[in-house]
């Protein structure tokens, strides 16, 4: 049984756009839930654990690129910028920027995972007591207000590390980069981490780690939704699947159901059959040319690309056309 259009509108009117969005996704021909629902407190912690796994190369590789090129990055960013980070998580890589950027005016980490964001901001304040840090709890795919810093910045730098851009379809990525273009403002720029296409075996290992942390991260989405939205997904029946889709150049992550079950959510009953899967995440991998074309569609020119010696990952500095 799928949700009718009329009921979906009622859910929206009931001022729970998130619930309406989840029910809508579960009512599609292929059931899906947005990856932003990975991130409750436990999900953010599990993601941090993923970043330390031997198979998950992106974080250490991106950190290495940042460290190797930080002087050049700092010179490109210039004096007294405002650093606005989308999906800041634990701000691990950001520390390198905070240590090296010249007279940073303010750091604005934006994240949907409230407690994790506020704890991370507190830890950073201890490490950087002279820097103004203004965290914003928001879903960055929707309009949100940025705070006013005490020191007037000379320019805005949008920072979007981790290849979180890869978690969006091309259309959604173009739209999101368009918001960032607006946010950067006339003299602004974007510094973005973009994961690269590579041997699929390396990719499949990174998303099917031997300790099972990625599987737990994936399953935790349903635990989060059960708690937050009062649903009754039977977690024991779901298992993690991550596979590389060569045609689309992306890892696709799903939760595969092993028993027929009926989920109650938002006043709806949704049947999930044995063998049916819920799509929970895409992680697109780009070629440098592919990302340059995408950035151009949003108005950005890629001015500088740094890549690690193994050509696994890239950090790209993009200016407005
Ligand atoms: N930037 C960090 C974390 C990446 S994990 C790194 O590079 O390691 C993705 C982060 O984006 C998480 O912290 C998650 O909470 C946040 N996030 C995902 N979707 C979001 C959304 N729609 N709005 C705001 N934050 C989001
Ligand atoms: C946050 N994002 C860039 C991660 C990725 O690699 O796509 C999320 C993740 N999913 C499974 N492992 C890590």
């Amino acid at each position: 049984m799928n949700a009718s259009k009329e009921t979906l509108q009622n859910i929206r009117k009931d001022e729970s756009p998130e619930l309406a969005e989840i029910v809508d996704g579960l009512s599609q021909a292929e059931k899906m839930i947005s990856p932003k629902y990975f991130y409750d407190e436990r999900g953010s912690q599990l993601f941090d654990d993923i970043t330390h796994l031997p198979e998950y190369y992106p974080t250490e590789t991106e950190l290495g690129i940042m460290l190797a090129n930080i002087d050049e990055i700092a010179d490109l960013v210039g004096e007294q910028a405002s650093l606005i980070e989308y999906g800041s998580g634990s701000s691990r890589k950001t520390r390198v920027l905070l240590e090296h950027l010249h007279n940073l005016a303010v750091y604005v980490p934006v994240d949907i995972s409230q407690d994790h964001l506020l704890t991370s901001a507190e830890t950073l304040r201890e490490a950087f007591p002279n820097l103004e840090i203004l965290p914003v709890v928001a879903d960055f795919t929707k309009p949100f207000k940025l705070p006013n810093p005490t020191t007037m910045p000379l320019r805005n730098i949008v920072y979007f590390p981790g290849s979180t851009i890869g978690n969006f379809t091309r259309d959604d990525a173009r739209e999101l980069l368009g918001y960032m273009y607006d946010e950067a403002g006339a003299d602004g720029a974007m510094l973005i981490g973009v994961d690269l296409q590579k041997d699929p075996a390396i990719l499949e290992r990174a998303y099917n780690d031997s300790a099972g942390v990625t599987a737990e991260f994936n399953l935790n989405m349903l635990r989060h939704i059960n708690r937050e939205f009062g649903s009754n997904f039977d977690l024991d029946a779901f298992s993690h699947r991550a596979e590389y889709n060569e045609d689309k150049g992306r890892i696709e992550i799903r939760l595969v159901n092993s028993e027929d079950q009926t989920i109650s959510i938002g006043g709806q009953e949704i049947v999930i059959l044995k063998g049916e899967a819920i799509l929970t995440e895409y992680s697109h991998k780009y070629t440098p040319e592919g990302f340059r074309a995408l950035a151009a569609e949003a108005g950005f020119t890629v001015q500088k690309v740094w890549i690690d010696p193994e050509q696994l990952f890239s950090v790209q500095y993009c200016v407005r056309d």
Side-chain angles (χ1 to χ4, degrees), residues 191-209:
L191 186 66
I192 184 167
V194 182
D195 199 7
L196 298 177
Q197 293 194 356
K198 58 183 65 65
D199 178 354
I202 299 178
L203 288 168
E204 293 203 341
R205 261 201 307 279
Y207 292 86
N208 290 287
D209 64 278

Side-chain angles (χ1 to χ4, degrees), residues 64-274:
I65 297 171
M66 296 295 289
L67 286 167
N69 299 287
I70 191 58
D71 291 339
E72 192 182 358
I73 293 172
D75 287 346
L76 284 168
V77 167
E79 289 282 326
Q80 208 176 306
S82 149
L83 186 70
I84 305 158
E85 180 171 356
Y86 281 61
S88 50
S90 291
S91 300
R92 196 167 136 212
K93 282 160 289 195
T94 321
R95 283 173 172 258
V96 182
L97 287 173
L98 301 187
E99 276 159 10
H100 289 87
L101 294 186
H102 309 308
N103 300 318
L104 195 59
V106 63
Y107 171 48
V108 182
V110 181
D111 207 289
I112 204 167
S113 188
Q114 174 166 320
D115 294 349
H116 197 78
L117 171 66
L118 299 181
T119 307
S120 299
E122 230 13 81
T123 309
L124 279 180
R125 282 197 184 106
E126 283 163 25
F128 300 91
N130 299 321
L131 175 65
E132 188 168 31
I133 300 179
L134 300 174
V136 174
V137 180
D139 176 345
F140 58 55
T141 62
K142 312 248 160 71
F144 62 93
K145 238 178 96 62
L146 283 173
N148 289 322
T150 310
T151 307
M152 180 64 96
L154 297 182
R155 66 190 306 225
N156 290 338
I157 301 294
V158 169
Y159 183 42
F160 195 27
S163 203
T164 302
I165 192 66
N167 299 135
F168 293 84
T169 62
R170 193 183 174 86
D171 285 351
D172 291 348
R174 189 191 307 109
E175 188 178 45
L176 184 56
L177 292 174
Y179 296 151
M180 293 176 179
Y181 178 91
D182 294 341
E183 207 56 74
D187 287 326
M190 172 175 73
L191 186 66
I192 184 167
V194 182
D195 199 7
L196 298 177
Q197 293 194 356
K198 58 183 65 65
D199 178 354
I202 299 178
L203 288 168
E204 293 203 341
R205 261 201 307 279
Y207 292 86
N208 290 287
D209 64 278
S210 56
V213 183
T214 311
E216 188 50 36
F217 173 71
N218 196 8
L219 260 184
N220 182 63
M221 176 189 274
L222 299 184
R223 190 179 292 119
H224 177 198
I225 291 175
N226 277 350
R227 188 190 63 244
E228 195 92 3
F229 301 101
S231 53
N232 60 336
F233 288 98
D234 175 7
L235 266 64
D236 291 340
F238 285 95
S239 55
H240 168 75
R241 187 168 75 206
E243 53 202 354
Y244 189 62
N245 181 331
E246 293 244 22
D247 288 346
K248 304 274 186 187
R250 67 190 181 203
I251 285 281
E252 299 180 350
I253 298 184
R254 294 181 169 81
L255 285 166
V256 185
N257 179 33
S258 64
E259 280 168 23
D260 291 353
Q261 50 180 301
T262 303
I263 310 304
S264 304
I265 182 165
Q268 301 297 308
E269 304 242 297
I270 292 175
V271 174
I272 310 182
L273 298 174
K274 179 177 174 175

Side-chain angles (χ1 to χ4, degrees), residues 16-27:
S16 184
E18 290 89 3
L19 191 50
E21 178 185 50
I22 293 168
V23 172
D24 196 22
L26 291 171
S27 309

